[in-house]
Amino acid sequence: MSNPQSPPPAGRPSLVLVGHGMVGQRYLEALAERGATATHAITVLCEEPRPAYDRVHLTSYFSGTSAEDLSMTPAGFMAEHGIELHLGDPAVAVDREARTVTSRSGRVVPYDVLVLATGSYPFVPPVPGKDSPGCFVYRTVEDLLAIEEYAKDRATGAVVGGGLLGLEAAGALQGLGLATRIVEFAPRLMPAQVDDGGGAALLRTIESMGLTVHTGVGTQEVLADAPDGSVTGMRLSDGSTLATDLVVFSAGVRPRDQLARDCGLEVGERGGIAVDTRCRTSDPHVYAIGECALASDGRVYGLVAPGYEMAETAADDLLGREREFTGADLSTKLKLLGVDVASFGDAHGATEGSLDVVYSDSRAGVYKKLVVAPDGRLLGGILVGDADSYGLLRPLTGSVPPAAPEQLVLPAGIGAPAALGPASLPDDAIICSCHNVTKKAIAACATLPEVKKCTKAGTGCGGCVKVIGQLLPPPAEKGLCACFAYTRAELYEIVRTLRLTSYDQLLDSHGREAARGTDGCEVCKPAVGSIIASLAPTIGASGYVLAGEQAALQDTNDHFLANLQRNGSYSVVPRIPGGEITPDKLIVIGEVARDFGLYTKITGGQRIDLFGARVDQLPQIWSRLVEAGFESGHAYGKALRTVKSCVGQTWCRYGVQDSVRMAIDLELRYRGLRAPHKLKSAVSGCTRECAEAQSKDFGVIATANGWNLYVGGNGGATPRHADLLAQDLSDAELVRLIDRFLMFYIRTADRLERTSAWLERLEGGLEHLRDVVVHDSLGLCAELEALMADHVAGYRDEWAETLDDPDRLRRFVSFVNAPGAPDPTVKFVPEREQVKPDLAVLQISPSPSLEPLGGTR
Amino acid sequence: MTVELRVAEGWLTVCELEALIPGRGVAALLPDGSQAAVFIDRQGRPYAISNRDPFTGAQVLSRGLIGCAEGRPFVASPLLKQRFDLSSGRCLDDDGVAVRTYPVRTAATS
Ligand code: SRM
Ligand SMILES: Cc1cc2nc3c(=O)[nH]c(=O)nc-3n(C[C@H](O)[C@H](O)[C@H](O)COP(=O)(O)OP(=O)(O)OC[C@H]3O[C@@H](n4cnc5c(N)ncnc54)[C@H](O)[C@@H]3O)c2cc1C
Ligand code: SF4
Ligand code: FES
């Protein structure tokens, strides 16, 4: 044979992947994560002219997403993992005896392991005229490009098939400006997902968008009567004809199993490469994954999530690790043409004796059906037009819901409200998906620490902690912690009125009996430290956080005036008020980062974070920064973080006030202010709100007459839009009102309670707040302003002060008995031309996420 | 007064007692290259445990806050906040985990 033969792999087993689609790429990533890209020589044959992309979001191409945006293959991925990728070169034959794959270009690649991930192809019904110019399918970027090109000077289009993909294609054609029809053989749209009622609701909504729908008719012929033989219309099964310039076939997909058939692998009766629970085909050297595979439960899965699970399974199996794919849930929630559609469980009521509960409002295009067993268990359902309850209904499947089914389908506001919340979830509902912990296991515990200890729930990404909190019994009493029976607000008053400047003093006089004289705990120490710091100038304590006993109260971040990172190194964030910075200062930051080898990143707070400093380097780094005029950014403290700004009136054609100046003024005024939680702010120069002020604890938006002040906003895990507190304020009025607001918050909020949660909890809410800080209903305002004046007068930069004091500097060493020695476990490895922590020296594998919410920031 | 820690080679002087702030710790480098976290509590009693946080592998326990649970002092890791009993090294939040402890004493400076 004269075909070029790739050189035999040098010792490493060779793996050939045929098909680089969504599942193929996931498989490669699974191999990389498991280190198998290093131990195997991998070749990928890809039919399409581009590497794997996000087929699920194909349609978004028409709304402006570029083909590059859709890519799922990280730049450099193939090179980094030594994978050979051949674009536009499909496999045409497999020789299982010789264990080689031949590609269209004539490449012959030997394999030890072959993985087929060839996906599926759109089924085109065998009607006359189906191959005429103007006929298309809808599967690849190339299909889209061709449709777009052809549609340029045409006016009408038709889609054959009213299923999920057909509706997507129809939406796309309409988006291209074509008058669009949908022709569906079944009596309703989306026949596989919804029933007649759902189809009717869908039909109404889709027709109201200006599309024409023909159901219950088949396509008999594509008419191609144009002089050049291109499409002019369609003849339907009811004998009627309709005119159209373009036809898109979307009548279902079929697994691409030809390659497998040709080499004698077992395939299913209705197609699909047969695989076992480990995704192996009838030849143990060959795997099949994704849409081309017929899973062990006799199904071909046309969704991407099951395909991903197969990819993980096959990757584990390659490494001899136990894992099985035995089938997947077909529940889906989609947004098609702007309509929410969800179906779950036994949506069509196939279970014997099952009963339906249906709510339908065709005016609003809403249809909801629940399928219930005679014993009341929820079996499944269909939601069209309003699928908000999908998230709670799906986990309820298989159990008797807490409310009558008819209540569950009624829209909010009609009839009795359905008691749906975490409490209503069944015992076996998975609450923590990181560690697969059920509601039952959580309910067996009394406190969050107990939950974490017994079940590990909440110790992964932390995303479930909120729901766990709602499942636990409310704390018996309100005290701050095991040491104090008082709340933070009460402790604040005690410290303020008794002028207590020491934690030990407070613990011994006001702590719980058992806690007096002890070492306290890690909860109340920083909280009390923060109260003393907020009040320092007023009660006569030192405002410096590392002074005397104060030093022992601070979390490590405050103690070292920097943010602790996962490998024990620290990050450094100099303050950049309002986000405004001179080129010279930028250069200093760059030089410092370069000289100390720090990873550099622009933060979400309009400033620059320098990562990877050893504790003993912090003073050296800061002496350079302080010399250049930088101050601490308090990125480590429960304190003012940043006041973001937009460029505002000075440059922006829309700006009505100087938002940058105001942001700088506010940031400098409140810098260093210790609070129950971090404080963030922003100032926008006009109502376009480029600085996102309404997501901040206090946000300011310019008006033609002054400033509007918004309070209680929050980004983060539980976003909250800020409330408008007062309008059209002058500079002085604005500052005075913020002074009062902040001091009232600091005085009355709980530990780690952001202004958003505080405002939600405050009795009387915004109105009460306005009474207190605007109308002075409690007669507190003069005092609040005086407290802030004390703070402003007492402010000193913590880093400048630290550098001035040799005693304090002595703490910045890695080892007390070897002050000059660096910590050998703080090491770095290269990453994208910078560095990242070397976790290998810590002798522990990286855990996916170790950042419980309510952390140290 | 100095703080001393017993290692394989015998008692090792780590630092002057004044270098320790009650309620806070320091790290010490040991002859075998491992690291210890040394603390004193409010009463001035010294403790020493391994500096390595077993949950993350980072050498940071010396930088945690000390507290007291049921009369026994503990340190809370500054990274993910698990607490370790200072006398036994046992993790109070995960029965399966413990860190090593070192005998420690204060000695008059000669
Ligand atoms: C560095 C930065 C990410 C970045 O690379 O951009 C960052 C990094 C961290 N954020 Fe953040 N946040 C950063 C901007 C934000 C923003 C955006 C903003 O400020 O405009 C938000 C949403 C806005 C908000 O807070 O309302 C944000 C919401 C959070 C939250 C959730 C707060 C909430 O109320 O839900 C936490 C967790 C917490 O505070 O309890 C958090 C906590 C953290 C911590 C401290 C995690 C921890 O507890 O250890 C991360 C510290 C890394 C370190 O040690 O340096 N970070 N974080 C950003 C620093 C901004 C700065 O210049 O100071
Ligand atoms: C418009 C659209 C919307 C969708 N929406 C959703 C959705 O909302 N949710 C959902 O779960 N799923 C959706 N899907 C389905 C989802 O895209 C597929 O389940 C998924 O892409 C399957 O991945 P795969 O890797 O198995 O197949 P594919 O992504 O199709 O990849 C297979 C690849 O193999 C190549 N190939 C075939 N034969 C050969 C050969 N002989 N040699 C080399 N290469 C070959 C093909 O060219 C293709 O690139 C949608 C699909 C489309 C088209
Ligand atoms: S918020 Fe208004 S003034 Fe500021 S940059 Fe945006 S458009 Fe310009
Ligand atoms: S979902 Fe529970 S920790 Fe991630």
Side-chain angles (χ1 to χ4, degrees):
Chain A
M1 264 202 337
S2 64
N3 284 332
Q5 170 121 21
S6 300
R12 291 186 296 169
S14 66
L15 186 151
V16 176
L17 171 66
V18 178
H20 191 225
M22 299 182 76
V23 173
Q25 172 61 17
R26 179 54 158 265
Y27 178 72
L28 294 177
E29 283 166 21
L31 292 184
E33 281 160 20
R34 290 161 177 76
T37 42
T39 52
H40 291 71
I42 301 175
T43 309
V44 182
L45 296 177
C46 173
E47 177 184 56
E48 295 186 56
R50 63 189 77 241
Y53 55 88
D54 186 353
R55 207 177 299 289
V56 170
H57 290 105
L58 196 59
T59 307
S60 69
Y61 173 81
F62 286 123
S63 53
T65 308
S66 70
E68 288 68 47
D69 291 339
L70 286 175
S71 172
M72 298 184 69
T73 317
F77 178 85
M78 300 293 163
E80 189 182 325
H81 295 285
I83 299 171
E84 227 181 276
L85 171 68
H86 301 288
L87 295 177
D89 195 14
V92 291
V94 174
D95 181 341
R96 291 201 287 128
E97 208 135 292
R99 283 205 221 140
T100 58
V101 182
T102 307
S103 77
R104 187 166 64 195
S105 72
R107 203 173 258 121
V108 178
V109 195
Y111 68 81
D112 296 297
V113 178
L114 175 64
V115 181
L116 301 174
T118 47
S120 40
Y121 65 89
F123 169 68
V124 177
V127 294
K130 68 178 171 52
D131 296 321
S132 319
C135 287
F136 297 92
V137 294
Y138 196 73
R139 175 101 196 155
T140 66
V141 167
E142 271 52 47
D143 292 337
L144 288 201
L145 297 176
I147 292 173
E148 190 181 35
E149 176 63 29
Y150 193 84
K152 262 189 194 143
D153 33 68
R154 326 267 157 166
T156 53
V159 175
V160 177
L164 193 154
L165 290 182
L167 294 186
E168 281 227 23
L173 292 189
Q174 203 195 23
L176 289 173
L178 302 184
T180 305
R181 305 167 178 281
I182 302 170
V183 179
E184 168 56 52
F185 183 68
R188 59 170 187 269
L189 292 172
M190 287 186 67
Q193 285 79 15
V194 309
D195 59 7
D196 284 340
L202 203 55
L203 175 67
R204 201 177 154 86
T205 316
I206 287 174
E207 284 184 334
S208 73
M209 295 170 177
L211 287 101
T212 313
V213 180
H214 308 259
T215 51
V217 282
T219 306
Q220 230 155 33
E221 186 183 351
V222 173
L223 307 172
D225 300 336
D228 63 350
S230 64
V231 173
T232 51
M234 285 163 59
R235 187 189 317 285
L236 304 181
S237 57
D238 61 1
S240 64
T241 58
L242 54 86
T244 184
D245 299 329
L246 178 158
V247 174
V248 176
F249 287 104
S250 183
V253 295
R254 300 283 185 272
R256 293 190 68 173
D257 53 15
Q258 197 58 44
L259 208 54
R261 283 176 195 270
D262 291 348
C263 66
L265 289 172
E266 206 177 295
V267 294
E269 223 168 89
R270 284 185 291 152
I273 309 168
V275 296
D276 62 13
T277 55
R278 299 183 300 166
C279 296
R280 294 194 187 203
T281 65
S282 51
D283 177 341
H285 295 282
V286 185
Y287 292 87
I289 53 178
E291 276 193 347
C292 64
L294 174 68
S296 63
D297 65 346
R299 277 182 145 146
V300 173
Y301 287 92
L303 294 172
V304 68
Y308 283 172
E309 243 187 279
M310 290 189 220
E312 303 277 343
T313 303
D316 271 339
D317 192 62
L318 180 73
L319 299 180
R321 300 185 192 164
E322 287 288 322
R323 185 177 180 133
E324 295 200 326
F325 179 84
T326 51
D329 184 7
L330 285 174
S331 301
T332 39
K333 181 177 173 197
L334 306 157
K335 206 179 190 80
L336 288 169
L337 286 162
V339 189
D340 276 331
V341 180
S343 77
F344 59 97
D346 178 10
H348 289 283
T351 313
E352 202 162 326
S354 65
L355 306 161
D356 292 353
V357 179
V358 176
Y359 169 84
S360 152
D361 175 356
S362 40
R363 278 166 316 158
V366 173
Y367 173 86
K368 300 186 194 180
K369 179 177 87 173
L370 299 184
V371 180
V372 200
D375 63 2
R377 278 175 309 121
L378 179 65
L379 297 174
I382 294 169
L383 308 168
V384 176
D386 170 13
D388 285 353
S389 50
Y390 175 75
L392 271 162
L393 288 173
R394 198 176 85 116
L396 282 170
T397 312
S399 63
V400 179
E406 56 274 20
Q407 279 183 26
L408 298 176
V409 293
L410 282 178
I414 302 183
L420 275 193
S424 69
L425 289 173
D427 277 354
D428 55 359
I430 302 290
I431 303 295
C432 173
S433 49
C434 289
H435 295 290
N436 247 322
V437 182
T438 59
K439 175 180 165 188
K440 187 170 171 196
I442 287 166
C445 307
T447 63
L448 183 61
E450 210 180 301
V451 170
K452 289 185 173 172
K453 180 170 172 176
C454 304
T455 68
K456 289 208 158 48
T459 61
C461 72
C464 57
V465 170
K466 194 166 170 190
V467 180
I468 295 177
Q470 292 167 329
L471 288 173
L472 294 173
E477 48 118 355
K478 60 193 172 75
L480 182 63
C481 61
C483 307
F484 286 101
Y486 295 102
T487 62
R488 181 192 170 281
E490 288 165 344
L491 289 174
Y492 179 97
E493 292 307 323
I494 294 168
V495 169
R496 189 177 64 88
T497 43
L498 301 183
R499 297 182 166 259
L500 295 179
T501 57
S502 133
Y503 170 85
D504 285 352
Q505 228 182 327
L506 184 67
L507 183 65
D508 295 351
S509 58
H510 289 80
R512 295 177 200 263
E513 215 47 63
R516 297 189 182 180
T518 70
D519 277 282
C521 79
E522 81 283 16
V523 173
C524 56
K525 276 182 173 173
V528 172
S530 158
I531 292 173
I532 295 175
S534 305
L535 285 168
T538 311
I539 60 177
S542 166
Y544 176 73
V545 292
L546 299 188
E549 183 214 40
Q550 280 266 62
L553 305 181
Q554 309 298 338
D555 270 323
T556 185
N557 283 357
D558 288 86
H559 190 63
F560 289 110
L561 306 169
N563 289 56
L564 182 63
Q565 305 297 315
R566 60 191 306 165
N567 67 338
S569 66
Y570 285 85
S571 75
V572 169
V573 185
R575 187 170 294 291
I576 300 181
E580 181 184 89
I581 186 163
T582 61
D584 282 338
K585 280 190 153 177
L586 262 183
I587 289 168
V588 171
I589 291 187
E591 284 172 347
V592 168
R594 183 195 56 208
D595 295 352
F596 289 89
L598 304 175
Y599 168 73
T600 309
K601 181 179 181 300
I602 309 287
T603 72
Q606 294 190 343
R607 47 193 190 168
I608 301 173
D609 207 340
L610 311 173
F611 294 83
R614 285 195 320 269
V615 67
D616 46 287
Q617 291 176 317
L618 289 171
Q620 304 162 38
I621 290 171
W622 271 104
S623 66
R624 298 250 313 252
L625 292 172
V626 167
E627 194 184 330
F630 286 105
E631 294 190 345
S632 165
H634 294 103
Y636 45 80
K638 301 286 178 253
L640 180 80
R641 293 292 168 75
T642 63
V643 182
K644 300 213 271 189
S645 75
C646 78
V647 64
Q649 189 183 37
T650 322
W651 294 90
C652 177
R653 61 187 160 144
Y654 294 122
V656 291
Q657 303 284 348
D658 186 350
S659 47
V660 177
R661 178 191 55 79
M662 181 52 79
I664 295 173
D665 286 355
L666 294 179
E667 183 155 347
L668 295 181
R669 181 168 182 83
Y670 303 120
R671 67 191 155 172
L673 180 66
R674 291 302 204 270
H677 206 319
K678 57 189 171 189
L679 286 168
K680 299 181 176 185
S681 177
V683 183
S684 282
C686 84
T687 184
R688 285 174 190 73
E689 249 284 68
C690 297
E692 301 170 310
Q694 289 170 93
S695 67
K696 299 299 174 207
D697 295 280
F698 58 104
V700 180
I701 302 178
T703 69
N705 307 317
W707 308 97
N708 285 354
L709 174 59
Y710 292 80
V711 295
N714 209 157
T718 316
R720 181 180 189 278
H721 246 70
D723 292 312
L724 180 61
L725 184 65
Q727 280 167 287
D728 288 334
L729 303 164
S730 69
D731 286 11
E733 286 167 341
L734 174 70
V735 168
R736 193 165 63 220
L737 196 49
I738 299 177
D739 282 0
R740 296 172 179 178
F741 166 75
L742 288 177
M743 276 303 173
F744 187 53
Y745 160 68
I746 290 173
R747 179 172 195 150
T748 56
D750 260 345
R751 157 183 180 271
L752 296 186
E753 187 176 43
R754 290 283 293 268
T755 56
S756 58
W758 168 74
L759 192 52
E760 294 279 336
R761 183 177 61 88
L762 200 65
E763 220 169 291
L766 182 69
E767 278 316 308
H768 175 65
L769 175 67
R770 193 176 282 131
D771 280 346
V772 175
V773 300
V774 180
H775 308 307
D776 201 9
S777 62
L778 299 181
L780 271 179
C781 287
E783 188 183 333
L784 297 174
E785 285 172 35
L787 283 166
M788 189 61 84
D790 285 346
H791 161 75
V792 174
Y795 169 81
R796 279 159 295 168
D797 172 42
E798 286 162 12
W799 263 109
E801 243 181 300
T802 304
L803 293 172
D804 276 348
D805 185 340
D807 240 17
R808 285 162 188 170
L809 277 180
R810 223 167 304 164
R811 293 177 198 161
F812 291 83
V813 292
S814 288
F815 302 109
V816 68
N817 60 341
D823 182 343
T825 68
V826 177
K827 282 267 174 336
F828 302 91
V829 291
E831 169 102 328
R832 294 188 296 276
E833 295 173 56
Q834 298 203 59
V835 297
K836 67 173 181 185
D838 182 355
L839 297 178
V841 299
L842 306 180
Q843 296 162 335
I844 191 162
S845 59
S847 76
S849 167
L850 295 164
E851 222 49 88
L853 289 176
T856 52
R857 213 175 223 202
Chain B
M1 295 281 271
T2 57
V3 180
E4 301 183 353
L5 218 145
R6 201 173 69 222
V7 292
E9 292 78 2
W11 287 99
L12 173 80
T13 301
V14 168
C15 61
E16 295 292 323
L17 187 58
E18 301 86 82
L20 290 174
I21 308 172
R24 282 231 93 96
V26 295
L29 189 59
L30 305 182
D32 67 354
S34 62
Q35 303 184 20
V38 185
F39 306 86
I40 50 167
D41 66 10
R42 201 175 152 187
Q43 272 68 39
R45 274 186 301 255
Y47 303 87
I49 62 174
S50 163
N51 195 27
R52 183 172 181 275
D53 172 7
F55 292 94
T56 59
Q59 300 275 358
V60 294
L61 290 186
S62 58
R63 301 183 215 156
L65 278 176
I66 310 198
C68 201
E70 280 151 26
R72 295 166 65 90
F74 65 80
V75 63
S77 167
L79 277 172
L80 301 178
K81 311 284 149 131
Q82 290 92 351
R83 297 164 304 158
F84 298 89
D85 186 293
L86 286 181
S87 343
S88 67
R90 292 231 345 253
C91 177
L92 300 179
D93 300 297
D94 189 337
D95 287 337
V97 177
V99 295
R100 73 165 289 187
T101 59
Y102 298 88
V104 61
R105 68 180 186 196
T106 50
T109 331
S110 48

